[in-house]
Amino acid sequence: MKKLVSIIAGLMAVCASLRAQVDVDDEFFSLPRDITPEYLDSITIKSVKPNNYTIIGVYGGTSIEYGYFNPTRSVLFGVNPPVYGFSVIRHFSMFGLFPNMGLEFGAQQNWEGYEFKTNKETGYRFTESGAYKVVMNVPEAFLLTHFHFDATDHFKLIAKVGLYGGYRTSIQRTLDDNYASYDTYQGYVNSFRDYDKRFTYGVQGGAGFGLMFDPIEIHVCAQLKWGWESFWEPDYASPYYYRFGYPLDGAVTRHGHSRAELRRMAREAAALELQQRRR
């Protein structure tokens, strides 16, 4: 009997505690006396999507060329300015929940190429068509998924990834001294061979930061390209010997101009409208 009484007393104490909690919650979420349901029904709040805006900009920078080969070859980084182009960035809130998304598309004048390094032990350096260095002019177009994180009202972090495609319009080869006197190799200095590939495509990505001062945004980004199309036909020397060379390039770019309404301005506009209606 005593155990039963103890159990009932304990349940009553729990119920009393829950009731007190409900009373506190009701009090916490209750509206002020001057705000009535009728007043709330009379207010129309304009829908604001602060992250839906467009950036149209031009940019410039410097390209860094590299390559990876089969058979493996020692390669140097090459620097070829300038890189320049334009892009359009459309920011949006995906599913109305994720405000950090966007799409970026544009076109740029870029470079591809490679430079073989001399082996310090043997003194030997690989060549292609008698050249140890090749630089190609490549107009490109790209489509990227654009992510941004607004750290403050004037600073944000940027990341992007997507696809690019281009066409190798011209080529410049630097001949090795051992081949410079041969007319055959001199004929390839500024021309493509039959087995050279002209189209190029692959993955493009980047990361950087942006400075926001309405109506201008300035973006500084490092860009990386991983090519999926070889410089030449892999089996041009022999159908039994597979040799390839793919571009792996980077660039430091960007200066953008924005015609956007930034999120801070959108929040201020919504707050001002609500304040005016309350008057």
Side-chain angles (χ1 to χ4, degrees):
M1 186 65 178
K2 289 182 179 180
K3 290 184 178 180
L4 180 60
V5 172
S6 299
I7 293 174
I8 294 174
L11 291 175
M12 292 177 64
V14 171
C15 292
S17 176
L18 292 175
R19 176 59 182 172
Q21 182 64 43
V22 171
D23 291 341
V24 171
D25 292 343
D26 288 344
E27 180 65 24
F28 179 77
F29 289 108
S30 63
L31 294 171
R33 294 181 179 179
D34 56 340
I35 304 298
T36 63
E38 291 76 15
Y39 173 75
L40 294 177
D41 292 338
S42 66
I43 295 177
T44 301
I45 299 177
K46 183 179 179 180
S47 177
V48 178
K49 297 180 178 180
N51 293 291
N52 288 16
Y53 65 94
T54 302
I55 296 175
I56 301 175
V58 296
Y59 61 88
T62 299
S63 176
I64 301 173
E65 277 69 62
Y66 197 72
Y68 56 103
F69 298 86
N70 178 45
T72 303
R73 302 183 179 184
S74 298
V75 185
L76 295 171
F77 287 95
V79 179
N80 288 286
V83 174
Y84 57 88
F86 76 94
S87 68
V88 179
I89 306 172
R90 176 58 181 172
H91 292 288
F92 58 88
S93 297
M94 188 172 68
F95 307 126
L97 297 175
F98 305 103
N100 307 106
M101 304 296 295
L103 288 175
E104 179 177 0
F105 65 91
Q108 64 184 7
Q109 176 61 60
N110 207 342
W111 306 88
E112 287 184 355
Y114 51 88
E115 180 177 355
F116 297 128
K117 182 170 60 174
T118 302
N119 188 305
K120 294 182 180 180
E121 296 180 357
T122 64
Y124 179 75
R125 178 169 55 186
F126 284 101
T127 61
E128 284 291 336
S129 298
Y132 69 90
K133 181 180 179 180
V134 174
V135 177
M136 290 173 283
N137 190 294
V138 187
E140 299 169 344
F142 54 84
L143 177 63
L144 311 174
T145 300
H146 188 106
F147 304 91
H148 66 100
F149 173 75
D150 296 353
T152 69
D153 286 340
H154 301 291
F155 181 84
K156 66 180 177 181
L157 301 176
I158 299 170
K160 57 185 76 174
V161 65
L163 300 175
Y164 79 92
Y167 187 76
R168 297 159 180 159
T169 58
S170 64
I171 188 169
Q172 181 178 356
R173 307 178 198 266
T174 302
L175 295 179
D176 185 89
D177 293 339
N178 296 324
Y179 300 93
S181 60
Y182 291 90
D183 293 339
T184 300
Y185 297 110
Q186 290 178 357
Y188 290 129
V189 169
N190 296 115
S191 62
F192 290 94
R193 304 167 304 183
D194 293 340
Y195 40 81
D196 284 328
K197 292 194 172 184
R198 306 289 294 273
F199 286 101
T200 178
Y201 62 91
V203 175
Q204 178 174 319
F209 64 90
L211 304 176
M212 303 178 290
F213 300 96
D214 183 65
I216 296 175
E217 288 192 19
I218 300 174
H219 297 177
V220 178
C221 293
Q223 171 184 292
L224 181 66
K225 289 169 40 190
W226 176 24
W228 289 349
E229 182 63 279
S230 177
F231 294 122
W232 55 75
E233 296 289 346
D235 57 353
Y236 78 86
S238 169
Y240 309 104
Y241 184 50
Y242 195 86
R243 51 187 297 180
F244 59 75
Y246 289 91
L248 183 62
D249 307 323
V252 179
T253 64
R254 202 121 330 207
H255 176 84
H257 298 273
S258 169
R259 298 187 302 184
E261 283 190 342
L262 301 179
R263 294 195 302 171
R264 175 180 53 81
M265 297 182 62
R267 291 196 299 266
E268 292 176 355
L272 179 61
E273 181 178 353
L274 181 59
Q275 184 179 2
Q276 290 176 345
R277 288 184 176 275
R278 285 182 176 179
R279 293 178 181 175

